[in-house]
């Protein structure tokens, strides 16, 4: 927790529901801070929501405010960013890390002044190599940062009668931080970058979620080892980093790890083998199941002797600057053909082999599947 933090705001277009309400209530209790969800009237891009809710963001007169994309995994060096901002205050401070030349093309690329760390040039997903410094999607903005967003909004209003080349007008409220603000203001002394060598990854797919879980479990080993399960007499066999929620019931003959996270109310039966997997709340793994490289969705049941196995998709271990090749579930509004969503409430009966999958909760499966995600 950053000292002096006053409030946490979540901004999005999604309709609030009961799970989100429960999450907000739990977050308020955990952080002892007000936590609110602000719903956009339409998808407003990465910056439109900030400008639309500017009055609520600036309520209370904050010195500065953090902006975090929701699809990133990181150790979030927020205190270090705040120290850097106070040492050299400017409207925009971006968190950056390094990537290899090939993968940098998939991110926003930053050219910095190595002495002052000013962002001299910014290109979002360039077609050719620009820089090995990439945007982490974690920012610290001063209240002054909202003025360039206002300028973009006003310019969009003026251009509202014109259509772009695709024939679609996104609306005046739609603001893209990366293209409309960072690219435009780079080199003008307003944007700076704070480099980190800590953990960071995007979360765009099931495979990248598993990798993020591995990174967080490894971080626990360094910062909160008490949160990780330990092998004890009469308990399950633990290999590597494993998290088990206190309400979960795990049979003593189960073998867990490495890199396993078991959620609230989960039941793990005798002889179960779990590796590189996430088991969400309320799921049941019956006797002698084998679950590898998989996310088992909430309320799901994997029947006895069933095997669920995904395909590992890790960064190149021989390249310290490699990141996940995060393949999105959807492209151009269509589900990618290599991924299958199996509906809600899944029950996997015995003697079923499922590969490359995510398992989601109540429909019966009675045959083998390949290239799937089970959620």
């Amino acid at each position: 927790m950053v000292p002096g933090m006053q409030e946490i705001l979540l901004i999005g277009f999604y309709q609030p529901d009961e799970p989100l309400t429960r999450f907000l209530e739990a977050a308020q209790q955990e952080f002892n801070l007000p936590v609110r969800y602000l719903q956009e009237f339409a998808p407003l891009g990465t910056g439109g929501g900030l400008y639309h809710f500017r009055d609520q963001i600036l309520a209370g007169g904050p010195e500065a405010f953090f902006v975090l994309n929701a699809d990133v995994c990181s150790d979030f060096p927020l205190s270090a960013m705040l120290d850097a901002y106070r040492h050299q205050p400017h409207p925009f401070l971006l968190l950056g890390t390094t990537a290899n030349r090939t993968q940098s093309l998939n991110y926003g690329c930053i050219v910095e002044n190595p002495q002052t760390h000013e962002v001299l040039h910014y290109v979002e997903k360039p077609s050719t190599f620009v820089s090995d410094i990439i945007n982490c999607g974690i920012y610290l903005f001063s209240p002054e940062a909202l003025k360039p967003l206002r300028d973009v909004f006003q310019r969009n209003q003026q251009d509202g009668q014109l259509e772009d080349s695709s024939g679609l007008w996104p609306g005046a409220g739609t603001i893209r931080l990366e293209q409309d603000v960072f690219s435009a203001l780079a080199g003008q002394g307003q944007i700076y970058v704070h480099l980190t060598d800590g953990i960071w990854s995007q979360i765009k797919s099931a495979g990248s979620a598993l990798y993020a879980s591995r990174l967080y479990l490894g971080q626990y080993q360094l910062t909160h080892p008490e949160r990780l399960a330990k092998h004890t007499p009469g308990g399950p066999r633990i290999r590597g980093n494993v998290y088990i929620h206190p309400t979960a019931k795990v049979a003593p003959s189960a073998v867990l790890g490495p890199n396993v996270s078991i959620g609230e109310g989960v039941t793990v039966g005798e002889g179960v083998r779990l590796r590189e997997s996430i088991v969400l709340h309320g799921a049941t793994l019956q006797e002698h199941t084998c679950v590898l490289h998989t996310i088992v969705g909430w309320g799901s049941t994997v029947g006895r002797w069933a095997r669920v196995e995904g395909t590992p998709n890790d960064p190149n271990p021989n390249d310290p600057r490699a990141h996940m090749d995060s393949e999105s579930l959807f492209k151009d509004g269509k589900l990618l053909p290599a991924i299958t969503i199996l509906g809600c409430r899944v029950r996997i009966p015995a003697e079923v082999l499922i590969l490359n999958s995510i398992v989601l909760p109540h429909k019966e499966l009675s045959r083998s599947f390949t290239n799937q995600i089970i959620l």
Side-chain angles (χ1 to χ4, degrees):
M1 181 68 68
V2 178
M5 186 174 292
Q6 300 176 6
E7 186 177 33
I8 299 174
L9 302 176
L10 281 70
I11 299 177
F13 175 61
Y14 300 103
Q15 183 71 28
D17 54 16
E18 184 179 347
L20 177 60
T21 301
R22 290 200 304 267
F23 169 78
L24 296 176
E25 292 173 349
Q28 286 192 124
Q29 293 179 356
E30 180 176 353
F31 299 117
N32 195 28
L33 281 174
V35 181
R36 293 188 291 141
Y37 176 67
L38 306 178
Q39 185 183 6
E40 299 171 338
F41 63 89
L44 297 178
T46 52
L50 298 177
Y51 183 71
H52 182 71
F53 293 110
R54 60 194 179 279
D55 291 340
Q56 299 195 52
I57 292 173
L58 297 180
E63 171 191 3
F65 56 94
F66 290 98
V67 177
L68 316 176
N69 288 349
D71 61 350
V72 297
C73 150
S74 174
D75 53 3
F76 295 101
L78 303 185
S79 294
M81 292 180 68
L82 184 57
D83 290 341
Y85 169 81
R86 287 172 171 167
H87 176 71
Q88 193 178 35
H90 293 283
F92 301 91
L93 181 63
L94 283 57
L95 185 68
T97 190
T98 55
N100 61 42
R101 291 178 64 95
T102 300
Q103 290 187 319
S104 68
L105 305 181
N106 299 321
Y107 303 93
C109 292
I110 298 168
V111 178
E112 67 154 353
N113 180 320
Q115 281 73 46
T116 65
H117 301 297
E118 180 190 351
V119 175
L120 303 176
H121 189 49
Y122 184 93
V123 184
E124 184 68 17
K125 297 181 176 64
S127 56
T128 59
F129 177 75
V130 172
S131 170
D132 62 355
I133 300 176
I134 62 172
N135 177 9
C136 292
I138 299 171
Y139 315 117
L140 179 57
F141 292 170
S142 78
E144 295 295 312
L146 292 174
K147 291 182 179 179
L149 274 67
R150 178 198 61 196
D151 296 340
V152 174
F153 177 80
Q154 292 176 346
R155 186 168 63 248
N156 286 346
Q157 282 187 315
Q158 295 171 1
D159 297 341
Q161 302 303 317
L162 302 176
E163 293 184 341
D164 63 19
S165 57
S166 67
L168 299 174
W169 171 242
T174 301
I175 300 174
R176 304 166 301 173
L177 273 179
E178 301 80 8
Q179 295 93 332
D180 298 334
V181 179
F182 298 159
S183 294
L185 296 182
Q188 299 183 25
Q190 297 193 56
I191 309 177
Y192 284 72
V193 60
H194 177 79
L195 295 177
T196 179
D197 57 1
I199 65 171
W200 181 85
S201 183
Q202 279 191 325
I203 306 175
K204 298 287 190 182
S205 65
S208 59
L210 290 175
Y211 179 64
S213 177
R214 182 195 305 173
L215 292 179
Y216 279 134
L217 290 170
Q219 191 72 7
Y220 278 179
Q221 183 63 56
L222 298 175
T223 60
H224 297 285
E226 72 281 358
R227 297 182 181 180
L228 298 176
K230 295 177 176 58
H231 182 66
T232 57
R237 186 179 303 175
I238 304 298
R239 296 180 177 176
N241 295 329
V242 174
Y243 169 79
I244 302 175
H245 193 276
T247 62
K249 299 179 181 179
V250 182
S253 60
V255 180
L256 312 179
N259 304 315
V260 166
S261 179
I262 296 177
E264 180 181 359
V266 169
T267 300
V268 179
E270 297 287 349
V272 167
R273 180 67 176 104
L274 259 175
R275 187 178 76 214
E276 299 281 355
S277 295
I278 300 171
V279 186
L280 298 179
H281 64 269
T284 299
L285 308 183
Q286 295 182 351
E287 293 83 356
H288 305 292
T289 60
C290 181
V291 178
L292 313 173
H293 303 282
T294 296
I295 299 175
V296 180
W298 49 93
S300 301
T301 298
V302 180
R304 57 181 60 87
W305 294 104
R307 179 184 180 97
V308 181
E309 182 173 358
T311 299
N313 182 27
D314 297 337
N316 182 355
N318 299 315
D319 184 350
R321 299 193 300 172
H323 294 282
M324 282 288 296
D325 289 322
S326 294
E327 192 69 48
S328 177
L329 288 174
F330 296 90
K331 185 176 182 180
D332 298 328
K334 297 180 180 179
L335 185 66
L336 292 178
I339 297 171
T340 300
I341 303 296
L342 299 180
C344 184
R345 295 286 177 196
V346 170
R347 177 180 175 84
I348 302 173
E351 300 177 359
V352 167
L353 172 65
I354 298 182
L355 302 176
N356 309 341
S357 321
I358 296 185
V359 190
L360 272 189
H362 280 342
K363 296 206 173 175
E364 296 287 340
L365 302 180
S366 58
R367 60 185 186 277
S368 297
F369 291 88
T370 59
N371 295 328
Q372 297 171 342
I373 291 189
I374 310 172
L375 190 55

